[in-house]
Amino acid sequence: MANSQADKFEIIRQLALAASGGVNLSQASHRALQQAADYVGLQAAALFLWDEEFKVTVTVNYAASEAVRQRLLTLEEELFVSLRKTRNLVSAYLSFGGDTPLHSFTLPLRHGQRVFGAVVGVQEGQRTTIAEDDFLEALSALLALNYVAEGIASGKSIPRELLSKERLSAIIETAVAVNHEVNNPLTAILGNVQLLLLKRRDLDADLTAKLKTIETSALKIKDVTQRLMRITAPKSVEYSEGTKMLDLSSDENESK
């Protein structure tokens, strides 16, 4: 395939039409990867979808030979997977030296803030993949939209599941922050109040009652932070007109 602007747009057009036309996405993705490889000059390209633990659930790949396919898979397994898990890698363009220079890239398939897959490729020779970074990033974004759209059309509710996981993840992050920032001073408050209550014989009844009120309120705050940490199925309730809040009143939101 000749390297031209028309070819670039034709690849994008065919992929978009495939998604809207109900074409099998694995087949459409394979064709798009092959055309993109021809256009950019890649020896191999692959698409991976994974779950929350980075376990691959879908693989689509194209390669000029089995040897170069294995080279791509080795880069994915030994380099990119490790960096995603340990360094939260999202995208990268890399070049390796040697008698025959090797270039590789990984670009995300994402929905909102959630990355659920990647497109990777390898290229040999002097020309680098970063020369076509705009095209490759557009291709990855369109592939991601296609898989999300397939979920909507097939009733798999992929976007809803992704959004639910993103929401739960945000709640857990907030809960951790709240526990870290609130529990330390709260522990100090409770500790001092309870020490004073041990000396209640030396305190008048009014002061003792106020200290008990402080203790009860502090324990309620502690209970709220613990409920936040236990949430597994977040549910909202009406707080005021047009405003909702997270429901912490029931154990239905917590793990059994």
Side-chain angles (χ1 to χ4, degrees):
M1 182 181 290
N3 191 328
S4 68
Q5 292 296 315
D7 292 330
K8 180 188 300 185
F9 295 128
E10 181 62 18
I11 295 168
I12 297 296
R13 186 185 74 85
Q14 288 185 20
L15 188 55
L17 289 175
S20 62
V23 176
N24 180 279
L25 267 181
S26 291
Q27 296 176 2
S29 298
H30 184 273
R31 183 166 63 249
L33 290 175
Q34 181 176 2
Q35 291 175 330
D38 289 343
Y39 172 78
V40 176
L42 304 175
Q43 275 68 51
L47 173 150
F48 301 96
L49 303 184
W50 54 70
D51 60 18
E52 289 289 314
E53 285 72 41
F54 290 99
K55 181 180 179 181
V56 174
T57 57
V58 174
T59 302
V60 179
N61 58 68
Y62 162 79
S65 68
E66 184 59 29
V68 76
R69 187 197 310 276
Q70 290 303 317
R71 190 173 303 161
L72 180 145
L73 294 177
T74 298
L75 278 171
E76 167 66 13
E77 294 171 3
E78 296 183 359
L79 180 62
F80 294 138
V81 170
S82 176
L83 289 173
R84 290 188 197 110
K85 291 180 179 179
T86 62
R87 299 294 182 181
N88 199 29
L89 175 71
V90 175
S91 63
Y93 292 87
L94 303 174
S95 292
F96 303 89
D99 294 336
T100 302
L102 179 70
H103 313 284
S104 184
F105 68 87
T106 177
L107 293 168
L109 301 183
R110 69 166 81 230
H111 179 263
Q113 295 301 310
R114 170 162 169 72
V115 176
F116 61 93
V119 174
V120 300
V122 293
Q123 178 188 62
E124 295 177 345
Q126 296 300 322
R127 183 182 171 204
T128 64
T129 54
I130 199 169
E132 295 295 343
D133 58 341
D134 288 343
F135 166 65
L136 292 171
E137 288 166 13
L139 179 74
S140 299
L142 187 53
L143 283 166
L145 288 174
N146 285 343
Y147 280 94
V148 170
E150 183 188 48
I152 295 173
S154 64
K156 296 177 182 176
S157 300
I158 292 177
R160 182 179 300 176
E161 292 175 2
L162 292 174
L163 288 173
S164 177
K165 290 175 181 178
E166 288 171 11
R167 184 184 183 211
L168 180 58
S169 177
I171 290 171
I172 291 173
E173 288 180 12
T174 302
V176 171
V178 167
N179 272 268
H180 176 72
E181 299 295 336
V182 172
N183 278 348
N184 287 337
L186 188 63
T187 299
I189 291 170
L190 270 172
N192 283 289
V193 167
Q194 289 168 347
L195 282 174
L196 288 171
L197 285 173
L198 289 175
K199 303 176 181 179
R200 68 183 68 190
R201 291 180 181 178
D202 301 327
L203 306 174
D204 61 60
D206 184 56
L207 181 55
T208 298
K210 289 178 179 178
L211 289 171
K212 288 295 294 182
T213 299
I214 294 172
E215 181 186 37
T216 299
S217 297
L219 288 172
K220 286 182 178 178
I221 295 171
K222 185 176 181 180
D223 180 62
V224 168
T225 62
Q226 290 175 345
R227 282 178 176 272
L228 273 170
M229 291 295 290
R230 294 197 299 266
I231 286 178
T232 58
K235 184 175 69 175
S236 298
V237 293
E238 196 76 20
Y239 175 69
S240 63
E241 187 175 350
T243 304
K244 292 185 177 181
M245 70 175 186
L246 191 64
D247 182 14
L248 296 175
S249 63
S250 172
D251 288 339
E252 290 180 3
N253 283 334
E254 301 174 11
S255 58
K256 305 298 183 183

Short mmCIF file of all heavy atoms in Angstrom, two decimals, residues 206-245:
data_model
loop_
_atom_site.label_atom_id
_atom_site.label_comp_id
_atom_site.label_asym_id
_atom_site.label_seq_id
_atom_site.Cartn_x
_atom_site.Cartn_y
_atom_site.Cartn_z
N ASP A 206 -22.33 17.94 83.93
CA ASP A 206 -22.51 18.63 82.65
C ASP A 206 -21.31 18.40 81.73
O ASP A 206 -21.46 18.11 80.54
CB ASP A 206 -22.71 20.12 82.91
CG ASP A 206 -22.99 20.89 81.63
OD1 ASP A 206 -23.95 20.53 80.92
OD2 ASP A 206 -22.23 21.84 81.31
N LEU A 207 -20.10 18.51 82.27
CA LEU A 207 -18.89 18.29 81.47
C LEU A 207 -18.79 16.84 81.03
O LEU A 207 -18.41 16.55 79.88
CB LEU A 207 -17.66 18.69 82.28
CG LEU A 207 -16.31 18.54 81.55
CD1 LEU A 207 -16.30 19.31 80.24
CD2 LEU A 207 -15.17 18.99 82.45
N THR A 208 -19.15 15.93 81.90
CA THR A 208 -19.13 14.51 81.54
C THR A 208 -20.08 14.23 80.39
O THR A 208 -19.74 13.49 79.45
CB THR A 208 -19.51 13.64 82.76
OG1 THR A 208 -18.56 13.84 83.80
CG2 THR A 208 -19.55 12.17 82.38
N ALA A 209 -21.27 14.83 80.42
CA ALA A 209 -22.25 14.63 79.35
C ALA A 209 -21.72 15.16 78.03
O ALA A 209 -21.91 14.54 76.96
CB ALA A 209 -23.57 15.32 79.72
N LYS A 210 -21.05 16.30 78.07
CA LYS A 210 -20.50 16.89 76.84
C LYS A 210 -19.38 16.01 76.28
O LYS A 210 -19.26 15.83 75.07
CB LYS A 210 -19.99 18.30 77.12
CG LYS A 210 -21.12 19.30 77.36
CD LYS A 210 -20.58 20.68 77.69
CE LYS A 210 -21.73 21.67 77.91
NZ LYS A 210 -21.25 23.01 78.28
N LEU A 211 -18.56 15.47 77.17
CA LEU A 211 -17.50 14.58 76.72
C LEU A 211 -18.07 13.31 76.09
O LEU A 211 -17.53 12.79 75.09
CB LEU A 211 -16.57 14.21 77.88
CG LEU A 211 -15.67 15.34 78.40
CD1 LEU A 211 -14.96 14.90 79.69
CD2 LEU A 211 -14.64 15.72 77.34
N LYS A 212 -19.16 12.79 76.68
CA LYS A 212 -19.81 11.60 76.11
C LYS A 212 -20.36 11.91 74.72
O LYS A 212 -20.32 11.07 73.82
CB LYS A 212 -20.93 11.13 77.03
CG LYS A 212 -20.45 10.47 78.32
CD LYS A 212 -19.71 9.16 78.05
CE LYS A 212 -20.62 8.09 77.47
NZ LYS A 212 -19.87 6.80 77.25
N THR A 213 -20.90 13.13 74.54
CA THR A 213 -21.42 13.54 73.23
C THR A 213 -20.30 13.58 72.20
O THR A 213 -20.45 13.13 71.06
CB THR A 213 -22.10 14.92 73.33
OG1 THR A 213 -23.20 14.85 74.24
CG2 THR A 213 -22.61 15.37 71.96
N ILE A 214 -19.14 14.12 72.61
CA ILE A 214 -17.98 14.17 71.71
C ILE A 214 -17.54 12.76 71.35
O ILE A 214 -17.25 12.45 70.19
CB ILE A 214 -16.83 14.96 72.36
CG1 ILE A 214 -17.21 16.42 72.54
CG2 ILE A 214 -15.55 14.82 71.52
CD1 ILE A 214 -16.20 17.23 73.34
N GLU A 215 -17.48 11.88 72.35
CA GLU A 215 -17.08 10.49 72.11
C GLU A 215 -18.03 9.80 71.14
O GLU A 215 -17.59 9.14 70.18
CB GLU A 215 -17.04 9.73 73.42
CG GLU A 215 -16.60 8.27 73.24
CD GLU A 215 -16.71 7.47 74.53
OE1 GLU A 215 -17.68 7.71 75.29
OE2 GLU A 215 -15.86 6.59 74.75
N THR A 216 -19.34 9.98 71.35
CA THR A 216 -20.35 9.34 70.48
C THR A 216 -20.21 9.85 69.05
O THR A 216 -20.26 9.08 68.08
CB THR A 216 -21.76 9.62 71.01
OG1 THR A 216 -21.89 9.08 72.33
CG2 THR A 216 -22.81 8.99 70.10
N SER A 217 -20.02 11.17 68.89
CA SER A 217 -19.90 11.76 67.55
C SER A 217 -18.62 11.27 66.87
O SER A 217 -18.62 10.96 65.66
CB SER A 217 -19.88 13.28 67.65
OG SER A 217 -21.10 13.76 68.18
N ALA A 218 -17.52 11.18 67.60
CA ALA A 218 -16.26 10.71 67.03
C ALA A 218 -16.37 9.26 66.59
O ALA A 218 -15.85 8.88 65.53
CB ALA A 218 -15.14 10.87 68.05
N LEU A 219 -17.08 8.45 67.38
CA LEU A 219 -17.26 7.04 67.00
C LEU A 219 -18.12 6.91 65.76
O LEU A 219 -17.91 6.02 64.93
CB LEU A 219 -17.89 6.27 68.17
CG LEU A 219 -16.96 6.02 69.37
CD1 LEU A 219 -17.75 5.43 70.53
CD2 LEU A 219 -15.83 5.07 68.97
N LYS A 220 -19.10 7.83 65.59
CA LYS A 220 -19.92 7.81 64.38
C LYS A 220 -19.08 8.15 63.16
O LYS A 220 -19.22 7.56 62.09
CB LYS A 220 -21.08 8.81 64.52
CG LYS A 220 -22.19 8.34 65.45
CD LYS A 220 -23.31 9.36 65.50
CE LYS A 220 -24.45 8.87 66.41
NZ LYS A 220 -25.55 9.88 66.51
N ILE A 221 -18.18 9.13 63.31
CA ILE A 221 -17.29 9.48 62.20
C ILE A 221 -16.41 8.29 61.83
O ILE A 221 -16.21 7.97 60.65
CB ILE A 221 -16.42 10.70 62.57
CG1 ILE A 221 -17.29 11.95 62.77
CG2 ILE A 221 -15.36 10.96 61.50
CD1 ILE A 221 -16.54 13.13 63.34
N LYS A 222 -15.89 7.62 62.84
CA LYS A 222 -15.05 6.43 62.60
C LYS A 222 -15.83 5.36 61.87
O LYS A 222 -15.31 4.70 60.96
CB LYS A 222 -14.54 5.90 63.94
CG LYS A 222 -13.55 4.75 63.81
CD LYS A 222 -13.00 4.34 65.16
CE LYS A 222 -12.00 3.20 65.02
NZ LYS A 222 -11.45 2.79 66.33
N ASP A 223 -17.10 5.18 62.24
CA ASP A 223 -17.95 4.18 61.58
C ASP A 223 -18.17 4.52 60.11
O ASP A 223 -18.16 3.64 59.25
CB ASP A 223 -19.30 4.08 62.30
CG ASP A 223 -20.22 3.06 61.66
OD1 ASP A 223 -19.86 1.87 61.64
OD2 ASP A 223 -21.29 3.45 61.17
N VAL A 224 -18.35 5.83 59.82
CA VAL A 224 -18.55 6.26 58.43
C VAL A 224 -17.31 5.96 57.59
O VAL A 224 -17.41 5.45 56.46
CB VAL A 224 -18.88 7.76 58.37
CG1 VAL A 224 -18.79 8.28 56.93
CG2 VAL A 224 -20.29 8.02 58.91
N THR A 225 -16.12 6.25 58.12
CA THR A 225 -14.90 5.98 57.35
C THR A 225 -14.72 4.48 57.11
O THR A 225 -14.26 4.07 56.04
CB THR A 225 -13.66 6.55 58.08
OG1 THR A 225 -13.52 5.90 59.35
CG2 THR A 225 -13.79 8.04 58.29
N GLN A 226 -15.12 3.68 58.07
CA GLN A 226 -15.01 2.23 57.90
C GLN A 226 -16.02 1.74 56.86
O GLN A 226 -15.72 0.83 56.07
CB GLN A 226 -15.22 1.53 59.24
CG GLN A 226 -14.07 1.74 60.22
CD GLN A 226 -14.32 1.16 61.59
OE1 GLN A 226 -15.46 0.83 61.93
NE2 GLN A 226 -13.27 1.02 62.38
N ARG A 227 -17.23 2.32 56.85
CA ARG A 227 -18.23 1.94 55.85
C ARG A 227 -17.76 2.29 54.44
O ARG A 227 -17.99 1.54 53.48
CB ARG A 227 -19.56 2.62 56.14
CG ARG A 227 -20.36 1.98 57.27
CD ARG A 227 -21.66 2.74 57.53
NE ARG A 227 -22.45 2.08 58.54
CZ ARG A 227 -23.35 1.12 58.30
NH1 ARG A 227 -23.55 0.72 57.05
NH2 ARG A 227 -24.02 0.56 59.27
N LEU A 228 -17.10 3.44 54.31
CA LEU A 228 -16.56 3.83 53.01
C LEU A 228 -15.58 2.78 52.49
O LEU A 228 -15.59 2.43 51.31
CB LEU A 228 -15.85 5.18 53.13
CG LEU A 228 -16.69 6.44 52.96
CD1 LEU A 228 -15.87 7.67 53.33
CD2 LEU A 228 -17.21 6.57 51.54
N MET A 229 -14.73 2.28 53.37
CA MET A 229 -13.72 1.30 52.97
C MET A 229 -14.34 -0.04 52.59
O MET A 229 -13.74 -0.81 51.83
CB MET A 229 -12.72 1.09 54.11
CG MET A 229 -11.81 2.28 54.37
SD MET A 229 -10.71 2.65 53.00
CE MET A 229 -9.60 1.24 53.07
N ARG A 230 -15.55 -0.33 53.07
CA ARG A 230 -16.16 -1.64 52.82
C ARG A 230 -17.11 -1.64 51.62
O ARG A 230 -17.65 -2.69 51.28
CB ARG A 230 -16.92 -2.11 54.06
CG ARG A 230 -16.05 -2.40 55.26
CD ARG A 230 -16.79 -3.24 56.30
NE ARG A 230 -17.97 -2.55 56.80
CZ ARG A 230 -18.00 -1.80 57.89
NH1 ARG A 230 -16.89 -1.60 58.59
NH2 ARG A 230 -19.12 -1.23 58.30
N ILE A 231 -17.31 -0.51 50.99
CA ILE A 231 -18.27 -0.43 49.88
C ILE A 231 -17.82 -1.29 48.70
O ILE A 231 -16.67 -1.22 48.27
CB ILE A 231 -18.47 1.03 49.42
CG1 ILE A 231 -19.31 1.79 50.44
CG2 ILE A 231 -19.15 1.10 48.05
CD1 ILE A 231 -19.53 3.24 50.11
N THR A 232 -18.73 -2.10 48.19
CA THR A 232 -18.45 -2.89 46.98
C THR A 232 -19.50 -2.64 45.90
O THR A 232 -19.27 -2.95 44.73
CB THR A 232 -18.44 -4.40 47.31
OG1 THR A 232 -19.70 -4.77 47.89
CG2 THR A 232 -17.31 -4.73 48.27
N ALA A 233 -20.67 -2.11 46.27
CA ALA A 233 -21.74 -1.83 45.31
C ALA A 233 -22.33 -0.46 45.65
O ALA A 233 -23.36 -0.36 46.31
CB ALA A 233 -22.82 -2.90 45.37
N PRO A 234 -21.68 0.64 45.21
CA PRO A 234 -22.12 1.98 45.58
C PRO A 234 -23.53 2.30 45.10
O PRO A 234 -23.90 1.97 43.97
CB PRO A 234 -21.08 2.89 44.92
CG PRO A 234 -20.44 2.07 43.87
CD PRO A 234 -20.48 0.67 44.35
N LYS A 235 -24.31 2.93 45.97
CA LYS A 235 -25.68 3.33 45.65
C LYS A 235 -25.89 4.76 46.12
O LYS A 235 -25.42 5.15 47.19
CB LYS A 235 -26.67 2.39 46.34
CG LYS A 235 -28.13 2.67 46.00
CD LYS A 235 -29.06 1.64 46.61
CE LYS A 235 -29.12 1.75 48.10
NZ LYS A 235 -30.11 0.83 48.73
N SER A 236 -26.61 5.55 45.31
CA SER A 236 -26.86 6.95 45.65
C SER A 236 -28.27 7.14 46.16
O SER A 236 -29.18 6.39 45.81
CB SER A 236 -26.62 7.85 44.42
OG SER A 236 -25.29 7.77 43.99
N VAL A 237 -28.44 8.16 47.00
CA VAL A 237 -29.77 8.55 47.49
C VAL A 237 -29.92 10.05 47.30
O VAL A 237 -28.93 10.78 47.17
CB VAL A 237 -29.96 8.18 48.98
CG1 VAL A 237 -29.97 6.68 49.16
CG2 VAL A 237 -28.88 8.82 49.85
N GLU A 238 -31.18 10.51 47.28
CA GLU A 238 -31.45 11.93 47.12
C GLU A 238 -31.06 12.68 48.39
O GLU A 238 -31.46 12.33 49.51
CB GLU A 238 -32.94 12.14 46.83
CG GLU A 238 -33.28 13.51 46.28
CD GLU A 238 -32.90 13.67 44.81
OE1 GLU A 238 -32.74 12.64 44.13
OE2 GLU A 238 -32.79 14.82 44.37
N TYR A 239 -30.23 13.71 48.24
CA TYR A 239 -29.83 14.54 49.39
C TYR A 239 -30.68 15.80 49.46
O TYR A 239 -31.23 16.15 50.49
CB TYR A 239 -28.35 14.89 49.27
CG TYR A 239 -27.86 15.84 50.33
CD1 TYR A 239 -27.76 15.43 51.67
CD2 TYR A 239 -27.50 17.15 50.01
CE1 TYR A 239 -27.31 16.30 52.64
CE2 TYR A 239 -27.06 18.03 50.99
CZ TYR A 239 -26.96 17.60 52.31
OH TYR A 239 -26.53 18.47 53.27
N SER A 240 -30.78 16.48 48.34
CA SER A 240 -31.66 17.64 48.20
C SER A 240 -32.04 17.73 46.73
O SER A 240 -31.57 16.94 45.91
CB SER A 240 -30.97 18.92 48.67
OG SER A 240 -29.82 19.20 47.87
N GLU A 241 -32.89 18.64 46.39
CA GLU A 241 -33.36 18.73 45.01
C GLU A 241 -32.19 18.92 44.04
O GLU A 241 -31.45 19.89 44.11
CB GLU A 241 -34.34 19.91 44.87
CG GLU A 241 -35.00 19.96 43.49
CD GLU A 241 -36.04 21.06 43.40
OE1 GLU A 241 -36.38 21.65 44.44
OE2 GLU A 241 -36.51 21.32 42.29
N GLY A 242 -32.03 17.94 43.15
CA GLY A 242 -30.96 18.00 42.15
C GLY A 242 -29.61 17.56 42.65
O GLY A 242 -28.63 17.59 41.91
N THR A 243 -29.53 17.11 43.90
CA THR A 243 -28.25 16.68 44.47
C THR A 243 -28.38 15.30 45.09
O THR A 243 -29.34 15.04 45.83
CB THR A 243 -27.76 17.67 45.56
OG1 THR A 243 -27.69 18.98 45.00
CG2 THR A 243 -26.38 17.25 46.07
N LYS A 244 -27.44 14.42 44.77
CA LYS A 244 -27.43 13.08 45.34
C LYS A 244 -26.20 12.88 46.20
O LYS A 244 -25.20 13.60 46.06
CB LYS A 244 -27.47 12.01 44.23
CG LYS A 244 -28.78 11.98 43.45
CD LYS A 244 -28.80 10.83 42.46
CE LYS A 244 -30.14 10.76 41.74
NZ LYS A 244 -30.20 9.63 40.79
N MET A 245 -26.29 11.90 47.10
CA MET A 245 -25.12 11.57 47.90
C MET A 245 -24.99 10.06 48.00
O MET A 245 -25.95 9.32 47.76
CB MET A 245 -25.24 12.18 49.31
CG MET A 245 -26.29 11.55 50.19
SD MET A 245 -26.23 12.27 51.86
CE MET A 245 -27.43 11.23 52.70
#
